[in-house]
Amino acid sequence: MEKKVKNTSQKKNLAKLQTMKLNNCKAVILKLVDELLDATSMMSNSPSIKEQWSIHLVIVNLLSKINQFEAEFELKPLSQRNDQSIEKLTKWATKNGAILNGVEIHQFENYAYGMKANKNIAVGDKLVTVPRALMMTEENIPSSPLWKLHSQDMMLRNMPNVALAIFILVESLRKDKKSFWHSYLTTLPVTYSTPVYFDVADLEALKGSPAFEAALKLNRNIARQYAYFKKLFQLSNDPASVILKDTFTYEYYRWAVSTLMSRQNTVPSSNNPSENVSALIPLWDMFNHRSGRLSTDFIKSNNVCVCYADSDYAADEQVYIFYGVRTNADFLVHNGFVYPDNEHDAVKIRLGVSRSDQLYSLRYRLLQTLSLPALAEFYLTPGPFPVDGKLLAFVRIFNMDQKTLDDWIQMEEKHCLNLTLLDSTLDPALETKCWEFLQVRINLLIKQYPAPLEKADNLSSFQQLAHTQIQLELDILKNALVYVKQHLDVVLKS
């Protein structure tokens, strides 16, 4: 009896010590969170990429320390994706009104999970039907533990995607009862390849690419949101904060955000059908991407999302959908992959007219005639015509002298559209300046990229992703450079 009492006393002491240890961890984490909020505020006010990178390194260091302390809470992954959980997902979805026709979830060697044809499929066949009741949207929040905090917190109210990410965590971590979406949430990927999972060397491999700045901004935003909510949950006692007070971690938050970024679609709002809301759509989000045409529709009369076959498929082939018109930089930052055969790929080129330019008002007036801003982002595209009419018009206006600007401003608006035409009859001297200007700008963009790797061995999977992205962008820029040089030669010979 004495031994039993002694063991019980030891267990209580150990439990007390563990509680003290975890409370100390919480206190340290909250101090680090304050530093993280300060660092992310500095980054939001830093204009240069070099400064943003320096502050990013501070953010990474703080998050590394936070992760070490949060690991003491021994929290488990929120999903257990395997064949058994996939089977449960299918049963749950079909039980609640989803329909699979000719396709099934299958694990492919190079794609992880995707959709496989289990019979011959013809273009236009209806493949998957998912009722609204199965979708996770912000419109489910009023009936969840998150509702009270959502109604009080400005960030949750004004940023629907942030609210949906927190909703994902509440439903994944709630203990009062099993979430309706439990069978769906447990089949989500355990981790992702979005830039919030890149370490310093991985992200550094993107330097030179427009995706680098976008990835820095994404990392900064997610770190700041995490810090904000970490403090909020500690200071609040609403139902959602009770669930997340001891379980909300940076690892969990970047997982939830990556889940949403990489899998969301939009559907009409049930409250206002003229507006759309972001949605996670079980089963539909198991399709992988391939170039083609959009083949998903929301049927308002039946309140269902329907996915149709975008082409013919033979039995046992992987069935794809087209995610939409996006550049590979967008795919990389938000979906965590790069699609080499992306016909909609492009490289961003940022141009602007300085307010210190003596002819600023005239340039701005002519730009307005063509609905072009004084500071704009244009895109160089792959293929035979990498420079579009809007970019060409901007460069022409940017390089005009005062007399030429005055002459064009006096013209009717329909005549000004000639500035967007490649074969527009303009002064050869102006055309020479324009093509030389583009040549210089493209060369400057190319020089921003790192030197080519002699060996691509021993790269992490994320570094390989970054390497592929940079090579695709350089191909676009070099193709555009050839195009510009050809037109410059023509002008010089005329």
Side-chain angles (χ1 to χ4, degrees), residues 222-237:
I222 301 312
R224 185 165 181 79
Q225 290 164 17
Y226 155 78
Y228 171 83
F229 285 114
K230 187 72 175 181
K231 293 194 70 172
L232 179 65
F233 298 145
Q234 295 301 314
L235 298 172
S236 307
N237 289 304

Side-chain angles (χ1 to χ4, degrees), residues 301-358:
S301 58
N302 296 328
N303 221 17
V304 296
C305 174
V306 179
C307 181
Y308 303 90
D310 65 348
S311 65
D312 297 337
Y313 293 93
D316 295 328
E317 283 187 329
Q318 181 167 188
V319 180
Y320 300 89
I321 62 172
F322 175 54
Y323 286 5
V325 176
R326 302 176 199 171
T327 65
N328 274 323
D330 288 335
F331 277 137
L332 174 59
V333 172
H334 300 109
N335 296 80
F337 71 84
V338 171
Y339 187 70
D341 297 323
N342 185 2
E343 62 191 86
H344 304 288
D345 202 6
V347 176
K348 186 190 302 180
I349 178 170
R350 188 177 295 161
L351 299 175
V353 180
S354 172
R355 288 185 176 274
S356 62
D357 184 339
Q358 292 183 347

